[in-house]
Each structure stands twice: as C-alpha cells, then as structure tokens.
Amino acid sequence: MTESKPITVAYGDGIGPEIMEATLSILREAKAKLSIETIEVGEKQYKTGNTTGIPASAWESLRRTKVLLKAPITTPQGGGYKSLNVTMRKTLGLYANVRPCVCYHPFVKTAHPKMDLVIVRENEEDLYAGIEYQLTHDAVHCIKLITRSGSERIVRYAFEYAVANGRKKVTCMSKDNIMKMADGMFHKIYDTIAVEYPQIEKEHYIIDIGTARIASQPERFDVIVTENLYGDIISDVAAEVSGSVGLAGSSNIGENFAMFEAIHGSAPDIAGKDIANPSGLLGGAFMMLVHIGQSDVATLVHNAWLATLESGIHTADIFNESSKEKVGTQAFAEAVIAHLGKTPKSLKAANYKARGEQGATKKGAPTAPVAKRELIGVDVFVFWKDEVDKLAAILKELTGNALELQTISSKGLKLWPDYVPGMNVTDQFNCRFKKSGAAITHADVAALTARLAAKNLDFVKTENLYEYDGKAGYSLGQGE
C-alpha cells in the first residue's frame, strides 16, 4: 500500500470553498492517498492587516508538505497589497507554470476541435518581478527582469516536458525584434538548448503574431515556452479558445515545491450559489496526483471527468443545446464520482505515466561562457522641464576628464545633438556619458553625479553602462 502523501490545501475566497470541497470529494471517492493540512490564505488574512495574505503557520505547513492545492483567492484592489500568487511563486521558487489547454469538442463549444497545446511559462521574472518607480511627475519605470539562468531553466524544462509527455514540437515566443537584449537573450538561449533535443521540432514566433495564431489556429502548436507576462496573456487566450477558461488547471513547479490551481479567479459574484464549475481546480488536482506519484488515481479521475462531459451533465458555464442536464457544483462532482471507473468513448482518454506529466528538471551546461565585463559609461536620468539645449550646455560644463556627454534622449528618442523641434518628450531625460579615454571606475561615476548635485540638477536615477567582451551591454540610442 502506498503511504498517504501530505499535502497542503487552501480553500481560497469567493467560489473557492465550493469548488475545493467538490474536488476533494472526488479525490476521496477515487481513493487518492492524501493526508491534508488546511491553511487559510487570501482575503481573510488581508483583512487582518497581513499585506501578504499568508500567515506564518501557512508557510510552516508548506515547508512540511512541499505541495499545495489552492483554490482561487481575492487580492484587494489598490496599493499596499501583494499578489499572493506572485509571492508564493517567488518565495517557493516555483519557476515553471504549466497550463494544458485542450478542447473537448463537441461537448464544449469551440471553433478549434483539434486543439491540444501546453503553455510553459517562466514564473518568477519579467515585469512580474514588480520593480517599479515613479521618478518624475510624468514618468514611471517598470523593470523587465530577464536572467540567463532563469531563461535556461524554463527553456530546458519545456523541452524535458515535451520528451516526457510524447510531445513533438516546442515553440518559443518572444518580442526580440524590439527588446533585443532581454527577449533577444531568451530567444538565443532557446536556440542553443534546442540543439540538445534533435527529436523535437523547433520554431519561434514574435509574441504578437504568435498570440494571433493561438487565437485563430491553435492546432498548429504543441508546447509553447515563453516569458512571464506573455505566458500569462496567451494562457488565458488559449483557455478561452479551447471553450472555457473555467476548464483549465495549472501547475507551478519548482526544485523543491509545487502548487496546483485553476487559472480562473475567485468570482465573488457567484460565490455561495452552487453554480461554479470545479473543473479547473480538478484539472490542477490531476497534475498534482501525477506529481506526487499517484498517476493511477490521476488517470482514473481524469477519465471519469471526461466521461461526465460526454454524458452531457454540465455546469451552467458550458451548458449548451446539446447538453442533457444542467447541474450545480456539488451535483457535478457527484456525477464525476458516479463515472469513476469509466473511460470516454470519443474524447481522448487520459493515461498518465508515473511522475511523467510534469516533465523533469535537468541541469545542463551554461549557454554562454563568462565574458570580460568593463564599465564604460553611465546613463543619468534627469528631471528637467526646460529646453534640451540648455540642459546639454550645463552637462557639458560638468563632465570632467573621465566622462563626456554623448547623447540626451527622452522615451528612447534622441533629442541631442541634432534636436528636431516638435518631438513628444516627457519631464525625464536620459543623459548618456561615456569614457573619454582610459578605463573608468565607479569613483569617476560618483564624481560626475557629485558635480551634478552641486549644480542642483535633479537626477532621479543612474544606470551604469558595461561592455561584455567588447560588445555593448545596453541598448544603443539613435546615432550610436
């Protein structure tokens, strides 16, 4: 007999308690071997003044079980509150978000009956790092953080997932025609790692046309790997195209922890009405069961759910003219229980392999050697509401011997030298200084900013400029 596996369960907010109870009732009847610890996170915790939405006791449970099945939670609107999902993903190192998006034609309406794709989304970096600054009255910076190590890890995970699950193709999506450094690195790492998997077909899409193709021709895709923000957007697009966002579950996988959930929100407007569809959370439970080594139970429950869809017993969100019976949350769970042991007749039956569905982490060699790093300049962002030529005149007087003013730009558009009147600017100007001869040091940069401060110039931010093996480690302005 397999020993019961300890897991942590969070009932969540809104419809969360209803769909969680429905999901757990199915798992109990399927004889899943689980030892459940329950935690309270989300709205009630926020209301106690806990801005993270999760108490210390919940972290203790997660460190014990290392597995969380979580219903949707509500994050209060407005400043001061952190997204619980983002906090948990980053704190627990859940770097891979995996979202299968499958159609269930003809039982769930869709224009794409052959759709069966999986989105593997980097889960910790990108704009979701939440690093933002309001530097002037007009300008806010949001930092897009992409690391080589994070990109290597998620790309390799996507290929390992494809191999483990008999998938044929891994598609990379990025926007490297515009963000040539951040997205460019992600794409290059994909190309490098892809060579290690000759049996897997490879392709790359710019994210905008890639998203359009997911919406119009999702059957073209198999496994998609992408960055955090893009992955969040295309996951919802794909789930909606498949027939219903309410049917999609997801897993969040790290080296030591894992979290499983539905992709939809807490839907407080229908909470307590016994009409919510528990299928998304149940889909997360399928993936959880595989992850903890109970693939036989995952297969049993998944096939019972598919057979229930085929029987025409549907919740209101997917009920249509071909459905036979409209049921509520708990009645749907009871229907799935009644179908345990049955397999679908027309839909593709589930057949999970032990610990295979989630893929496997695999470490490989770094995709690039360590490069020589040299400080060659600094970008100084200045709050300025006068003519750019006046700013340039002041800065040229203050440059000193080590650094000289190269360009002044606003919103990525070069304004000086060769200013063209009528350009749309803001109240923040990026003043680029580069070394005028020999190597420079941080002391030279500090001396420059000290001179700016003595002149009462309001500089709001600095970014050092580096070269790596003689190549620019910064975006080049016009004219450079």
Side-chain angles (χ1 to χ4, degrees):
M1 291 289 289
T2 302
E3 292 185 5
S4 292
K5 167 64 180 175
I7 68 166
T8 301
V9 166
Y11 277 73
D13 305 315
I15 62 172
E18 299 166 78
I19 62 174
M20 179 61 77
E21 187 50 50
T23 297
L24 293 179
S25 68
I26 295 168
L27 299 187
R28 283 193 294 267
E29 293 297 325
K31 308 301 182 188
K33 297 176 178 62
L34 304 174
S35 176
I36 294 173
E37 297 184 15
T38 301
I39 60 173
E40 182 182 273
V41 299
E43 191 170 35
K44 290 181 180 178
Q45 283 296 313
Y46 288 122
K47 288 180 177 178
T48 68
N50 185 341
T51 58
T52 66
I54 181 168
S57 58
W59 288 121
E60 292 168 5
S61 175
L62 291 171
R63 292 187 184 102
R64 280 193 300 270
T65 69
K66 303 186 184 306
V67 176
L68 172 63
L69 179 63
K70 183 183 72 63
I73 56 96
T74 300
T75 301
Q77 296 295 311
Y81 297 103
K82 298 179 181 179
S83 165
L84 179 60
N85 275 349
V86 174
T87 297
M88 296 183 89
R89 289 167 183 167
K90 292 169 70 173
T91 303
L92 299 176
L94 307 178
Y95 67 89
N97 181 265
V98 183
R99 295 188 177 183
C101 296
V102 184
C103 78
Y104 301 101
H105 176 82
F107 308 101
V108 179
K109 283 191 171 182
T110 176
H112 306 284
K114 296 182 180 180
M115 176 181 182
D116 182 359
L117 63 87
V118 178
I119 295 169
V120 178
R121 160 191 168 195
E122 199 288 319
N123 221 15
E124 297 182 291
E125 302 182 349
D126 198 7
L127 294 168
Y128 281 36
I131 307 170
E132 298 182 282
Y133 306 94
Q134 180 163 359
L135 301 178
T136 67
H137 298 91
D138 193 44
V140 173
H141 283 200
C142 183
I143 306 300
K144 179 184 175 79
L145 178 65
I146 302 294
T147 69
R148 177 174 296 278
S149 56
S151 300
E152 289 176 352
R153 187 166 58 173
I154 196 64
V155 170
R156 193 174 299 282
Y157 185 96
F159 277 99
E160 287 294 311
Y161 180 99
V163 171
N165 293 281
R167 297 280 179 163
K168 306 299 183 185
K169 180 170 67 173
V170 175
T171 303
C172 174
M173 292 192 182
S174 74
K175 189 67 177 175
D176 60 339
N177 58 332
I178 302 298
M179 287 163 282
K180 299 181 185 297
M181 295 187 65
D183 286 33
M185 181 170 67
F186 190 88
H187 186 182
K188 288 176 183 176
I189 288 170
Y190 166 85
D191 286 343
T192 301
I193 291 177
V195 175
E196 301 176 27
Y197 299 87
Q199 74 275 37
I200 303 295
E201 185 182 347
K202 302 94 181 170
E203 65 180 358
H204 174 267
Y205 273 86
I206 298 298
I207 188 62
D208 41 8
I209 187 61
T211 305
R213 291 282 167 81
I214 291 172
S216 64
Q217 302 173 58
E219 60 278 357
R220 296 174 62 127
F221 300 103
D222 195 352
V223 175
I224 299 171
V225 63
T226 190
E227 299 163 25
N228 204 338
L229 175 62
Y230 306 147
D232 195 7
I233 294 169
I234 66 173
S235 293
D236 281 0
V237 171
E240 185 68 20
V241 167
S242 72
S244 173
V245 171
L247 300 182
S250 73
S251 62
N252 301 268
I253 306 297
E255 296 285 351
N256 300 306
F257 299 92
M259 177 172 71
F260 303 88
E261 58 189 345
I263 74 167
H264 58 72
S266 59
D269 56 320
I270 62 170
K273 297 181 180 180
D274 191 41
I275 60 175
N277 190 342
S279 296
L281 186 58
L282 187 60
F286 303 155
M287 291 185 274
M288 179 194 72
L289 289 167
V290 176
H291 180 78
I292 64 176
Q294 298 184 32
S295 55
D296 54 340
V297 182
T299 299
L300 175 70
V301 174
H302 197 160
N303 283 330
W305 177 75
L306 292 170
T308 303
L309 289 184
E310 285 188 344
S311 74
I313 301 174
H314 298 158
T315 48
D317 57 318
I318 60 172
F319 190 83
N320 57 65
E321 62 275 4
S322 64
S323 302
K324 294 180 181 178
E325 184 180 357
K326 183 190 293 185
V327 296
T329 309
Q330 193 55 43
F332 183 80
E334 292 168 359
V336 174
I337 292 169
H339 283 87
L340 288 171
K342 298 180 180 178
T343 55
K345 295 181 173 60
S346 58
L347 296 174
K348 181 181 177 181
N351 184 16
Y352 291 105
K353 297 178 181 178
R355 301 187 68 84
E357 180 66 14
Q358 298 306 318
T361 53
K362 175 184 175 183
K363 292 180 172 62
T367 58
V370 176
K372 179 185 176 182
R373 178 171 171 266
E374 180 185 4
L375 177 66
I376 58 95
V378 62
D379 280 352
V380 181
F381 294 81
V382 176
F383 175 59
W384 185 258
K385 301 190 76 172
D386 205 342
E387 294 179 4
V388 67
D389 285 339
K390 292 182 180 180
L391 176 60
I394 296 171
L395 293 174
K396 290 183 73 175
E397 291 179 2
L398 301 174
T399 52
N401 296 324
L403 291 157
E404 61 182 6
L405 181 65
Q406 297 284 315
T407 60
I408 300 176
S409 62
S410 178
K411 297 197 290 188
L413 182 66
K414 192 184 81 168
L415 304 177
W416 181 92
D418 306 321
Y419 175 65
V420 177
M423 286 192 262
N424 183 26
V425 300
T426 181
D427 57 3
Q428 175 191 276
F429 292 78
N430 179 13
C431 309
R432 176 161 289 179
F433 297 85
K434 288 187 175 178
K435 65 179 184 178
S436 56
I440 61 170
T441 66
H442 290 88
D444 295 314
V445 173
L448 171 65
T449 56
R451 292 192 294 272
L452 299 183
K455 193 69 174 180
N456 292 320
L457 277 177
D458 187 358
F459 60 93
V460 296
K461 181 184 178 183
T462 63
E463 293 283 356
N464 289 348
L465 307 179
Y466 294 94
E467 287 184 347
Y468 293 83
D469 288 340
K471 295 181 180 180
Y474 51 91
S475 58
L476 298 174
Q478 293 186 23
E480 291 188 80

